[in-house]
Amino acid sequence: MAKSTAVIDIGSNSMRMAVFQKTSRFAFHILHEVKSSVRISENAYKNEGYLQSDAMDRTAQAIGEFLSIAKSFGVRKILCVATSALRDAPNASSFLSRIKREHDLSIKVITGEREAYLGGMACANLLPSLSDAITVDVGGGSSEFTLLRNGKVEQLFSLNVGTVRIKELFFDRDDVEGAIAYIDEALKQLPPFDTDTLIGIGGSFRALTRALMKKEEYPLKKLHAYTTDEASFLHFNEQILSAGSKKLRSLFIKPDRFDTIKPGALILERIIRHTQIKTLICSGVGVREGVFLTDLLRNSGDRFPANYNPSVRYLLDTYGLHSTHAQQCAHLSKRLFELLHVSLGIAPKFQQELAIAAKLLSIGVDVRYYAYQRHSHYLAMNTLDYGLNHSQIALISHLLLFKKGHSSSDLIPKGSLSSLLPEKETLDALGMLLWLAHILLASRVNASEISLVLENGTLSVSGKHLYLAREQLKNIILPENLTLILKD
């Protein structure tokens, strides 16, 4: 596939474009995103679904500028899909012909089931692993549902319930009770879902999540994989539904969402009550990522290889040009973990985070050698997005910090991510293992040349090139129950 790919998603409310750039076979990052509230479905639902001329003009003009942006990034492939508004519109073909004529762009109108698949598949690949969940994408004209089992899409559903549709048919007439009855009747088409986890996709869910995070003063500024419970979300939803414009602003809702946030909140409230879910996860990915991934993974069954993380690989591709040492640290830290985690009281689950931190140890060097630990920390904190929960991202990023003569817990900044990090003893032990591996490999030897033996709380390390390591060991704080002996 082309190195840079643009994906345009024409929704009923907003049109968005993401420009993706590959860095290796399966690794990628987003170069640019742009959104325009073209409202292509504006007044359509009041007019038997027909797209109105003003809305079509806005959309055509925005498409032209989107294509100009894509060209500026050297994009060679453009994939464009349209959803509910064009699915429903009797005059959709004339609009599609116009865009082809004016901009030489082919728009693919996808079914509701295909829209559900693309969003669900993106979540299955790019969210932390879940045994089962339902994804819910509340759009302007419709809502899509996907049942995920063991990381695979099992069932797909699409209902004609969306924020703009509900606004124009009910909220514009102050008929909230009618909206509730309409939504509840549509939800009867869904089968029972044997899961208590809902993954929210789409602008309404993200707007509500972003506002909730600000209200709670959540320490990490990442929407993707943010998790909350049903009670907290519904309580905040109730405040949104009863708020006037001034109150909406104080609840961190942006003005461009004022007219659709209440229909969106109502739809989500009825879905949550209908499905009886308990846990809600916000997805920062959806249809656009799904379109891109079906192209990227077209020969891999729409799945990444086992244990593959595209964010980690992107960082290594871009900043890990001198990562041989980090790879050796990953090997040695794995051996140290397996040898010491029981005596140090570290849960086995933390081995994954330690391994990733070791691989990313040197990425800051490609920014600047001096204080490279801070650069590595910053890059990891701001670039790790996919396949990891917020606690994992916080831990991996924090482990990359190191200061001579300090334990890992000493380096937690005030008012920072401490609520997402493990307890002090675990954090200090993991930090010690990472930096012990780094110090033992100070002469840049192969990790296989280092011999490790643990006996009665004493770790004996032997190898041919440990002179520099011996000098640097004074910089690290060892746990009280561990003694370290170096043998040449």
Side-chain angles (χ1 to χ4, degrees), residues 378-414:
Y378 177 86
L379 288 169
M381 179 64 73
N382 290 280
T383 308
L384 289 177
D385 289 313
Y386 302 136
L388 299 166
N389 62 44
H390 287 188
S391 291
Q392 290 176 307
I393 293 170
L395 176 56
I396 291 164
S397 303
H398 185 76
L399 289 176
L400 296 176
L401 292 171
F402 179 67
K403 189 175 181 181
K404 296 176 182 179
H406 289 73
S407 60
S408 190
S409 60
D410 293 336
L411 304 177
I412 301 175
K414 293 180 179 179

PDB file of all heavy atoms in Angstrom, residues 378-414:
ATOM      1  N   TYR A 378       8.893  11.412  27.676  1.00  0.00           N
ATOM      2  CA  TYR A 378       7.939  12.279  26.983  1.00  0.00           C
ATOM      3  C   TYR A 378       7.397  11.597  25.723  1.00  0.00           C
ATOM      4  O   TYR A 378       6.188  11.615  25.463  1.00  0.00           O
ATOM      5  CB  TYR A 378       8.602  13.609  26.622  1.00  0.00           C
ATOM      6  CG  TYR A 378       7.710  14.534  25.832  1.00  0.00           C
ATOM      7  CD1 TYR A 378       6.828  15.393  26.484  1.00  0.00           C
ATOM      8  CD2 TYR A 378       7.720  14.530  24.437  1.00  0.00           C
ATOM      9  CE1 TYR A 378       5.988  16.232  25.767  1.00  0.00           C
ATOM     10  CE2 TYR A 378       6.885  15.357  23.708  1.00  0.00           C
ATOM     11  CZ  TYR A 378       6.021  16.203  24.378  1.00  0.00           C
ATOM     12  OH  TYR A 378       5.180  17.026  23.659  1.00  0.00           O
ATOM     13  N   LEU A 379       8.296  11.018  24.938  1.00  0.00           N
ATOM     14  CA  LEU A 379       7.867  10.365  23.699  1.00  0.00           C
ATOM     15  C   LEU A 379       6.921   9.208  23.990  1.00  0.00           C
ATOM     16  O   LEU A 379       5.899   9.036  23.311  1.00  0.00           O
ATOM     17  CB  LEU A 379       9.083   9.866  22.909  1.00  0.00           C
ATOM     18  CG  LEU A 379       9.938  10.945  22.238  1.00  0.00           C
ATOM     19  CD1 LEU A 379      11.238  10.345  21.720  1.00  0.00           C
ATOM     20  CD2 LEU A 379       9.169  11.609  21.099  1.00  0.00           C
ATOM     21  N   ALA A 380       7.255   8.401  24.990  1.00  0.00           N
ATOM     22  CA  ALA A 380       6.396   7.260  25.324  1.00  0.00           C
ATOM     23  C   ALA A 380       5.036   7.731  25.831  1.00  0.00           C
ATOM     24  O   ALA A 380       3.986   7.225  25.417  1.00  0.00           O
ATOM     25  CB  ALA A 380       7.077   6.379  26.365  1.00  0.00           C
ATOM     26  N   MET A 381       5.050   8.716  26.726  1.00  0.00           N
ATOM     27  CA  MET A 381       3.803   9.204  27.309  1.00  0.00           C
ATOM     28  C   MET A 381       2.865   9.764  26.246  1.00  0.00           C
ATOM     29  O   MET A 381       1.648   9.586  26.300  1.00  0.00           O
ATOM     30  CB  MET A 381       4.102  10.280  28.358  1.00  0.00           C
ATOM     31  CG  MET A 381       2.864  10.877  29.017  1.00  0.00           C
ATOM     32  SD  MET A 381       1.939   9.667  29.976  1.00  0.00           S
ATOM     33  CE  MET A 381       3.044   9.502  31.378  1.00  0.00           C
ATOM     34  N   ASN A 382       3.406  10.426  25.252  1.00  0.00           N
ATOM     35  CA  ASN A 382       2.581  11.109  24.268  1.00  0.00           C
ATOM     36  C   ASN A 382       2.351  10.316  22.989  1.00  0.00           C
ATOM     37  O   ASN A 382       1.544  10.742  22.144  1.00  0.00           O
ATOM     38  CB  ASN A 382       3.206  12.469  23.928  1.00  0.00           C
ATOM     39  CG  ASN A 382       3.096  13.450  25.072  1.00  0.00           C
ATOM     40  OD1 ASN A 382       2.062  14.059  25.279  1.00  0.00           O
ATOM     41  ND2 ASN A 382       4.163  13.573  25.857  1.00  0.00           N
ATOM     42  N   THR A 383       3.034   9.198  22.831  1.00  0.00           N
ATOM     43  CA  THR A 383       2.928   8.452  21.577  1.00  0.00           C
ATOM     44  C   THR A 383       2.350   7.054  21.758  1.00  0.00           C
ATOM     45  O   THR A 383       1.765   6.504  20.822  1.00  0.00           O
ATOM     46  CB  THR A 383       4.314   8.361  20.900  1.00  0.00           C
ATOM     47  OG1 THR A 383       4.862   9.682  20.802  1.00  0.00           O
ATOM     48  CG2 THR A 383       4.227   7.776  19.514  1.00  0.00           C
ATOM     49  N   LEU A 384       2.490   6.462  22.923  1.00  0.00           N
ATOM     50  CA  LEU A 384       1.874   5.158  23.155  1.00  0.00           C
ATOM     51  C   LEU A 384       0.360   5.345  23.223  1.00  0.00           C
ATOM     52  O   LEU A 384      -0.160   5.974  24.135  1.00  0.00           O
ATOM     53  CB  LEU A 384       2.392   4.541  24.456  1.00  0.00           C
ATOM     54  CG  LEU A 384       3.842   4.050  24.446  1.00  0.00           C
ATOM     55  CD1 LEU A 384       4.230   3.533  25.819  1.00  0.00           C
ATOM     56  CD2 LEU A 384       4.050   2.962  23.390  1.00  0.00           C
ATOM     57  N   ASP A 385      -0.339   4.818  22.261  1.00  0.00           N
ATOM     58  CA  ASP A 385      -1.790   4.986  22.197  1.00  0.00           C
ATOM     59  C   ASP A 385      -2.530   3.658  22.101  1.00  0.00           C
ATOM     60  O   ASP A 385      -3.591   3.492  22.694  1.00  0.00           O
ATOM     61  CB  ASP A 385      -2.175   5.837  20.982  1.00  0.00           C
ATOM     62  CG  ASP A 385      -1.784   7.297  21.139  1.00  0.00           C
ATOM     63  OD1 ASP A 385      -2.060   7.865  22.201  1.00  0.00           O
ATOM     64  OD2 ASP A 385      -1.198   7.849  20.193  1.00  0.00           O
ATOM     65  N   TYR A 386      -1.985   2.731  21.322  1.00  0.00           N
ATOM     66  CA  TYR A 386      -2.758   1.565  20.935  1.00  0.00           C
ATOM     67  C   TYR A 386      -2.384   0.319  21.731  1.00  0.00           C
ATOM     68  O   TYR A 386      -1.213   0.080  22.040  1.00  0.00           O
ATOM     69  CB  TYR A 386      -2.574   1.280  19.443  1.00  0.00           C
ATOM     70  CG  TYR A 386      -2.966   2.445  18.560  1.00  0.00           C
ATOM     71  CD1 TYR A 386      -2.172   2.835  17.486  1.00  0.00           C
ATOM     72  CD2 TYR A 386      -4.139   3.157  18.803  1.00  0.00           C
ATOM     73  CE1 TYR A 386      -2.535   3.897  16.665  1.00  0.00           C
ATOM     74  CE2 TYR A 386      -4.500   4.232  17.991  1.00  0.00           C
ATOM     75  CZ  TYR A 386      -3.708   4.595  16.928  1.00  0.00           C
ATOM     76  OH  TYR A 386      -4.060   5.649  16.124  1.00  0.00           O
ATOM     77  N   GLY A 387      -3.385  -0.487  22.047  1.00  0.00           N
ATOM     78  CA  GLY A 387      -3.153  -1.785  22.665  1.00  0.00           C
ATOM     79  C   GLY A 387      -2.769  -1.760  24.122  1.00  0.00           C
ATOM     80  O   GLY A 387      -2.433  -2.803  24.690  1.00  0.00           O
ATOM     81  N   LEU A 388      -2.797  -0.594  24.764  1.00  0.00           N
ATOM     82  CA  LEU A 388      -2.387  -0.466  26.162  1.00  0.00           C
ATOM     83  C   LEU A 388      -3.423   0.356  26.919  1.00  0.00           C
ATOM     84  O   LEU A 388      -3.987   1.303  26.381  1.00  0.00           O
ATOM     85  CB  LEU A 388      -1.026   0.231  26.269  1.00  0.00           C
ATOM     86  CG  LEU A 388       0.157  -0.465  25.596  1.00  0.00           C
ATOM     87  CD1 LEU A 388       1.334   0.495  25.485  1.00  0.00           C
ATOM     88  CD2 LEU A 388       0.566  -1.714  26.367  1.00  0.00           C
ATOM     89  N   ASN A 389      -3.652  -0.016  28.199  1.00  0.00           N
ATOM     90  CA  ASN A 389      -4.544   0.812  29.004  1.00  0.00           C
ATOM     91  C   ASN A 389      -3.751   1.962  29.620  1.00  0.00           C
ATOM     92  O   ASN A 389      -2.525   2.032  29.507  1.00  0.00           O
ATOM     93  CB  ASN A 389      -5.269  -0.022  30.067  1.00  0.00           C
ATOM     94  CG  ASN A 389      -4.332  -0.669  31.066  1.00  0.00           C
ATOM     95  OD1 ASN A 389      -3.390  -0.044  31.551  1.00  0.00           O
ATOM     96  ND2 ASN A 389      -4.590  -1.930  31.403  1.00  0.00           N
ATOM     97  N   HIS A 390      -4.435   2.873  30.270  1.00  0.00           N
ATOM     98  CA  HIS A 390      -3.782   4.083  30.776  1.00  0.00           C
ATOM     99  C   HIS A 390      -2.778   3.781  31.882  1.00  0.00           C
ATOM    100  O   HIS A 390      -1.730   4.447  31.976  1.00  0.00           O
ATOM    101  CB  HIS A 390      -4.835   5.073  31.263  1.00  0.00           C
ATOM    102  CG  HIS A 390      -5.582   5.726  30.152  1.00  0.00           C
ATOM    103  ND1 HIS A 390      -6.471   6.760  30.343  1.00  0.00           N
ATOM    104  CD2 HIS A 390      -5.563   5.502  28.809  1.00  0.00           C
ATOM    105  CE1 HIS A 390      -6.968   7.144  29.176  1.00  0.00           C
ATOM    106  NE2 HIS A 390      -6.449   6.391  28.242  1.00  0.00           N
ATOM    107  N   SER A 391      -3.050   2.802  32.711  1.00  0.00           N
ATOM    108  CA  SER A 391      -2.094   2.445  33.762  1.00  0.00           C
ATOM    109  C   SER A 391      -0.815   1.885  33.156  1.00  0.00           C
ATOM    110  O   SER A 391       0.288   2.164  33.635  1.00  0.00           O
ATOM    111  CB  SER A 391      -2.720   1.424  34.724  1.00  0.00           C
ATOM    112  OG  SER A 391      -3.755   2.016  35.477  1.00  0.00           O
ATOM    113  N   GLN A 392      -0.943   1.102  32.096  1.00  0.00           N
ATOM    114  CA  GLN A 392       0.244   0.564  31.421  1.00  0.00           C
ATOM    115  C   GLN A 392       1.067   1.675  30.783  1.00  0.00           C
ATOM    116  O   GLN A 392       2.297   1.685  30.882  1.00  0.00           O
ATOM    117  CB  GLN A 392      -0.182  -0.457  30.366  1.00  0.00           C
ATOM    118  CG  GLN A 392      -0.725  -1.754  30.935  1.00  0.00           C
ATOM    119  CD  GLN A 392      -1.215  -2.691  29.843  1.00  0.00           C
ATOM    120  OE1 GLN A 392      -2.026  -2.315  28.991  1.00  0.00           O
ATOM    121  NE2 GLN A 392      -0.709  -3.903  29.853  1.00  0.00           N
ATOM    122  N   ILE A 393       0.402   2.614  30.125  1.00  0.00           N
ATOM    123  CA  ILE A 393       1.115   3.732  29.497  1.00  0.00           C
ATOM    124  C   ILE A 393       1.840   4.556  30.550  1.00  0.00           C
ATOM    125  O   ILE A 393       3.012   4.938  30.372  1.00  0.00           O
ATOM    126  CB  ILE A 393       0.132   4.605  28.698  1.00  0.00           C
ATOM    127  CG1 ILE A 393      -0.417   3.830  27.494  1.00  0.00           C
ATOM    128  CG2 ILE A 393       0.809   5.894  28.227  1.00  0.00           C
ATOM    129  CD1 ILE A 393      -1.559   4.527  26.785  1.00  0.00           C
ATOM    130  N   ALA A 394       1.165   4.840  31.657  1.00  0.00           N
ATOM    131  CA  ALA A 394       1.784   5.637  32.723  1.00  0.00           C
ATOM    132  C   ALA A 394       2.994   4.918  33.301  1.00  0.00           C
ATOM    133  O   ALA A 394       4.049   5.536  33.539  1.00  0.00           O
ATOM    134  CB  ALA A 394       0.765   5.915  33.832  1.00  0.00           C
ATOM    135  N   LEU A 395       2.881   3.608  33.525  1.00  0.00           N
ATOM    136  CA  LEU A 395       3.987   2.848  34.106  1.00  0.00           C
ATOM    137  C   LEU A 395       5.174   2.763  33.156  1.00  0.00           C
ATOM    138  O   LEU A 395       6.326   3.011  33.548  1.00  0.00           O
ATOM    139  CB  LEU A 395       3.513   1.445  34.489  1.00  0.00           C
ATOM    140  CG  LEU A 395       4.582   0.493  35.024  1.00  0.00           C
ATOM    141  CD1 LEU A 395       5.309   1.090  36.225  1.00  0.00           C
ATOM    142  CD2 LEU A 395       3.972  -0.859  35.384  1.00  0.00           C
ATOM    143  N   ILE A 396       4.927   2.407  31.908  1.00  0.00           N
ATOM    144  CA  ILE A 396       6.013   2.289  30.931  1.00  0.00           C
ATOM    145  C   ILE A 396       6.754   3.622  30.810  1.00  0.00           C
ATOM    146  O   ILE A 396       7.990   3.666  30.838  1.00  0.00           O
ATOM    147  CB  ILE A 396       5.456   1.860  29.561  1.00  0.00           C
ATOM    148  CG1 ILE A 396       4.945   0.409  29.624  1.00  0.00           C
ATOM    149  CG2 ILE A 396       6.523   1.996  28.466  1.00  0.00           C
ATOM    150  CD1 ILE A 396       4.054   0.029  28.457  1.00  0.00           C
ATOM    151  N   SER A 397       5.999   4.696  30.687  1.00  0.00           N
ATOM    152  CA  SER A 397       6.614   6.019  30.534  1.00  0.00           C
ATOM    153  C   SER A 397       7.414   6.394  31.769  1.00  0.00           C
ATOM    154  O   SER A 397       8.519   6.932  31.668  1.00  0.00           O
ATOM    155  CB  SER A 397       5.533   7.072  30.267  1.00  0.00           C
ATOM    156  OG  SER A 397       4.774   6.738  29.124  1.00  0.00           O
ATOM    157  N   HIS A 398       6.863   6.113  32.937  1.00  0.00           N
ATOM    158  CA  HIS A 398       7.557   6.494  34.168  1.00  0.00           C
ATOM    159  C   HIS A 398       8.843   5.690  34.362  1.00  0.00           C
ATOM    160  O   HIS A 398       9.847   6.224  34.863  1.00  0.00           O
ATOM    161  CB  HIS A 398       6.653   6.314  35.379  1.00  0.00           C
ATOM    162  CG  HIS A 398       7.276   6.803  36.652  1.00  0.00           C
ATOM    163  ND1 HIS A 398       7.379   8.147  36.959  1.00  0.00           N
ATOM    164  CD2 HIS A 398       7.904   6.142  37.657  1.00  0.00           C
ATOM    165  CE1 HIS A 398       8.007   8.285  38.101  1.00  0.00           C
ATOM    166  NE2 HIS A 398       8.337   7.096  38.554  1.00  0.00           N
ATOM    167  N   LEU A 399       8.839   4.423  33.982  1.00  0.00           N
ATOM    168  CA  LEU A 399      10.041   3.600  34.146  1.00  0.00           C
ATOM    169  C   LEU A 399      11.217   4.132  33.327  1.00  0.00           C
ATOM    170  O   LEU A 399      12.376   3.820  33.629  1.00  0.00           O
ATOM    171  CB  LEU A 399       9.751   2.150  33.752  1.00  0.00           C
ATOM    172  CG  LEU A 399       8.853   1.357  34.707  1.00  0.00           C
ATOM    173  CD1 LEU A 399       8.573  -0.029  34.135  1.00  0.00           C
ATOM    174  CD2 LEU A 399       9.484   1.247  36.092  1.00  0.00           C
ATOM    175  N   LEU A 400      10.926   4.922  32.309  1.00  0.00           N
ATOM    176  CA  LEU A 400      11.998   5.454  31.467  1.00  0.00           C
ATOM    177  C   LEU A 400      12.734   6.622  32.114  1.00  0.00           C
ATOM    178  O   LEU A 400      13.763   7.058  31.619  1.00  0.00           O
ATOM    179  CB  LEU A 400      11.431   5.879  30.107  1.00  0.00           C
ATOM    180  CG  LEU A 400      10.851   4.730  29.274  1.00  0.00           C
ATOM    181  CD1 LEU A 400      10.220   5.250  28.000  1.00  0.00           C
ATOM    182  CD2 LEU A 400      11.917   3.692  28.956  1.00  0.00           C
ATOM    183  N   LEU A 401      12.203   7.124  33.214  1.00  0.00           N
ATOM    184  CA  LEU A 401      12.900   8.166  33.968  1.00  0.00           C
ATOM    185  C   LEU A 401      13.955   7.520  34.870  1.00  0.00           C
ATOM    186  O   LEU A 401      13.739   6.448  35.423  1.00  0.00           O
ATOM    187  CB  LEU A 401      11.922   8.956  34.837  1.00  0.00           C
ATOM    188  CG  LEU A 401      10.912   9.838  34.099  1.00  0.00           C
ATOM    189  CD1 LEU A 401       9.887  10.383  35.085  1.00  0.00           C
ATOM    190  CD2 LEU A 401      11.612  10.973  33.370  1.00  0.00           C
ATOM    191  N   PHE A 402      15.087   8.142  35.016  1.00  0.00           N
ATOM    192  CA  PHE A 402      16.128   7.623  35.906  1.00  0.00           C
ATOM    193  C   PHE A 402      16.990   8.776  36.386  1.00  0.00           C
ATOM    194  O   PHE A 402      17.349   9.651  35.609  1.00  0.00           O
ATOM    195  CB  PHE A 402      17.006   6.590  35.184  1.00  0.00           C
ATOM    196  CG  PHE A 402      18.108   6.043  36.036  1.00  0.00           C
ATOM    197  CD1 PHE A 402      17.821   5.256  37.143  1.00  0.00           C
ATOM    198  CD2 PHE A 402      19.431   6.321  35.748  1.00  0.00           C
ATOM    199  CE1 PHE A 402      18.833   4.741  37.941  1.00  0.00           C
ATOM    200  CE2 PHE A 402      20.455   5.815  36.535  1.00  0.00           C
ATOM    201  CZ  PHE A 402      20.151   5.026  37.637  1.00  0.00           C
ATOM    202  N   LYS A 403      17.279   8.770  37.662  1.00  0.00           N
ATOM    203  CA  LYS A 403      18.159   9.775  38.235  1.00  0.00           C
ATOM    204  C   LYS A 403      19.078   9.078  39.214  1.00  0.00           C
ATOM    205  O   LYS A 403      18.628   8.302  40.064  1.00  0.00           O
ATOM    206  CB  LYS A 403      17.353  10.874  38.939  1.00  0.00           C
ATOM    207  CG  LYS A 403      18.181  12.065  39.377  1.00  0.00           C
ATOM    208  CD  LYS A 403      17.282  13.159  39.942  1.00  0.00           C
ATOM    209  CE  LYS A 403      18.100  14.378  40.362  1.00  0.00           C
ATOM    210  NZ  LYS A 403      17.230  15.447  40.930  1.00  0.00           N
ATOM    211  N   LYS A 404      20.354   9.332  39.100  1.00  0.00           N
ATOM    212  CA  LYS A 404      21.337   8.642  39.929  1.00  0.00           C
ATOM    213  C   LYS A 404      21.023   8.787  41.411  1.00  0.00           C
ATOM    214  O   LYS A 404      20.753   9.884  41.903  1.00  0.00           O
ATOM    215  CB  LYS A 404      22.735   9.189  39.640  1.00  0.00           C
ATOM    216  CG  LYS A 404      23.210   8.933  38.216  1.00  0.00           C
ATOM    217  CD  LYS A 404      24.570   9.575  37.966  1.00  0.00           C
ATOM    218  CE  LYS A 404      25.027   9.350  36.529  1.00  0.00           C
ATOM    219  NZ  LYS A 404      26.339   9.990  36.255  1.00  0.00           N
ATOM    220  N   GLY A 405      21.045   7.665  42.101  1.00  0.00           N
ATOM    221  CA  GLY A 405      20.859   7.674  43.543  1.00  0.00           C
ATOM    222  C   GLY A 405      19.420   7.822  43.995  1.00  0.00           C
ATOM    223  O   GLY A 405      19.159   8.032  45.179  1.00  0.00           O
ATOM    224  N   HIS A 406      18.461   7.716  43.071  1.00  0.00           N
ATOM    225  CA  HIS A 406      17.050   7.832  43.407  1.00  0.00           C
ATOM    226  C   HIS A 406      16.302   6.564  43.005  1.00  0.00           C
ATOM    227  O   HIS A 406      16.638   5.923  42.007  1.00  0.00           O
ATOM    228  CB  HIS A 406      16.408   9.030  42.703  1.00  0.00           C
ATOM    229  CG  HIS A 406      16.839  10.354  43.239  1.00  0.00           C
ATOM    230  ND1 HIS A 406      18.102  10.873  43.005  1.00  0.00           N
ATOM    231  CD2 HIS A 406      16.188  11.279  43.998  1.00  0.00           C
ATOM    232  CE1 HIS A 406      18.209  12.059  43.599  1.00  0.00           C
ATOM    233  NE2 HIS A 406      17.056  12.322  44.207  1.00  0.00           N
ATOM    234  N   SER A 407      15.284   6.226  43.783  1.00  0.00           N
ATOM    235  CA  SER A 407      14.402   5.133  43.395  1.00  0.00           C
ATOM    236  C   SER A 407      13.330   5.669  42.458  1.00  0.00           C
ATOM    237  O   SER A 407      13.128   6.887  42.342  1.00  0.00           O
ATOM    238  CB  SER A 407      13.743   4.514  44.633  1.00  0.00           C
ATOM    239  OG  SER A 407      12.973   5.489  45.318  1.00  0.00           O
ATOM    240  N   SER A 408      12.625   4.761  41.787  1.00  0.00           N
ATOM    241  CA  SER A 408      11.643   5.181  40.794  1.00  0.00           C
ATOM    242  C   SER A 408      10.521   6.007  41.410  1.00  0.00           C
ATOM    243  O   SER A 408      10.055   6.985  40.821  1.00  0.00           O
ATOM    244  CB  SER A 408      11.063   3.945  40.094  1.00  0.00           C
ATOM    245  OG  SER A 408      10.282   4.311  38.992  1.00  0.00           O
ATOM    246  N   SER A 409      10.092   5.642  42.618  1.00  0.00           N
ATOM    247  CA  SER A 409       8.992   6.383  43.247  1.00  0.00           C
ATOM    248  C   SER A 409       9.407   7.789  43.660  1.00  0.00           C
ATOM    249  O   SER A 409       8.560   8.669  43.825  1.00  0.00           O
ATOM    250  CB  SER A 409       8.456   5.624  44.458  1.00  0.00           C
ATOM    251  OG  SER A 409       9.467   5.425  45.426  1.00  0.00           O
ATOM    252  N   ASP A 410      10.706   8.030  43.822  1.00  0.00           N
ATOM    253  CA  ASP A 410      11.181   9.383  44.143  1.00  0.00           C
ATOM    254  C   ASP A 410      10.914  10.368  43.014  1.00  0.00           C
ATOM    255  O   ASP A 410      10.901  11.580  43.230  1.00  0.00           O
ATOM    256  CB  ASP A 410      12.693   9.385  44.422  1.00  0.00           C
ATOM    257  CG  ASP A 410      13.061   8.638  45.691  1.00  0.00           C
ATOM    258  OD1 ASP A 410      12.192   8.519  46.574  1.00  0.00           O
ATOM    259  OD2 ASP A 410      14.210   8.175  45.793  1.00  0.00           O
ATOM    260  N   LEU A 411      10.740   9.844  41.803  1.00  0.00           N
ATOM    261  CA  LEU A 411      10.689  10.696  40.615  1.00  0.00           C
ATOM    262  C   LEU A 411       9.273  11.013  40.159  1.00  0.00           C
ATOM    263  O   LEU A 411       9.093  11.608  39.100  1.00  0.00           O
ATOM    264  CB  LEU A 411      11.446  10.012  39.468  1.00  0.00           C
ATOM    265  CG  LEU A 411      12.901   9.644  39.768  1.00  0.00           C
ATOM    266  CD1 LEU A 411      13.526   8.915  38.585  1.00  0.00           C
ATOM    267  CD2 LEU A 411      13.712  10.883  40.117  1.00  0.00           C
ATOM    268  N   ILE A 412       8.274  10.614  40.948  1.00  0.00           N
ATOM    269  CA  ILE A 412       6.898  10.927  40.575  1.00  0.00           C
ATOM    270  C   ILE A 412       6.650  12.416  40.811  1.00  0.00           C
ATOM    271  O   ILE A 412       6.726  12.882  41.942  1.00  0.00           O
ATOM    272  CB  ILE A 412       5.886  10.104  41.399  1.00  0.00           C
ATOM    273  CG1 ILE A 412       6.119   8.602  41.203  1.00  0.00           C
ATOM    274  CG2 ILE A 412       4.464  10.466  40.997  1.00  0.00           C
ATOM    275  CD1 ILE A 412       5.236   7.745  42.079  1.00  0.00           C
ATOM    276  N   PRO A 413       6.335  13.179  39.751  1.00  0.00           N
ATOM    277  CA  PRO A 413       6.091  14.618  39.948  1.00  0.00           C
ATOM    278  C   PRO A 413       4.837  14.853  40.778  1.00  0.00           C
ATOM    279  O   PRO A 413       3.910  14.039  40.773  1.00  0.00           O
ATOM    280  CB  PRO A 413       5.902  15.140  38.514  1.00  0.00           C
ATOM    281  CG  PRO A 413       6.444  14.064  37.626  1.00  0.00           C
ATOM    282  CD  PRO A 413       6.246  12.787  38.351  1.00  0.00           C
ATOM    283  N   LYS A 414       4.805  15.955  41.490  1.00  0.00           N
ATOM    284  CA  LYS A 414       3.636  16.291  42.286  1.00  0.00           C
ATOM    285  C   LYS A 414       2.421  16.504  41.381  1.00  0.00           C
ATOM    286  O   LYS A 414       2.518  17.084  40.321  1.00  0.00           O
ATOM    287  CB  LYS A 414       3.901  17.552  43.102  1.00  0.00           C
ATOM    288  CG  LYS A 414       4.953  17.372  44.194  1.00  0.00           C
ATOM    289  CD  LYS A 414       5.157  18.668  44.975  1.00  0.00           C
ATOM    290  CE  LYS A 414       6.203  18.464  46.076  1.00  0.00           C
ATOM    291  NZ  LYS A 414       6.439  19.720  46.836  1.00  0.00           N
TER     292      LYS A 414
END
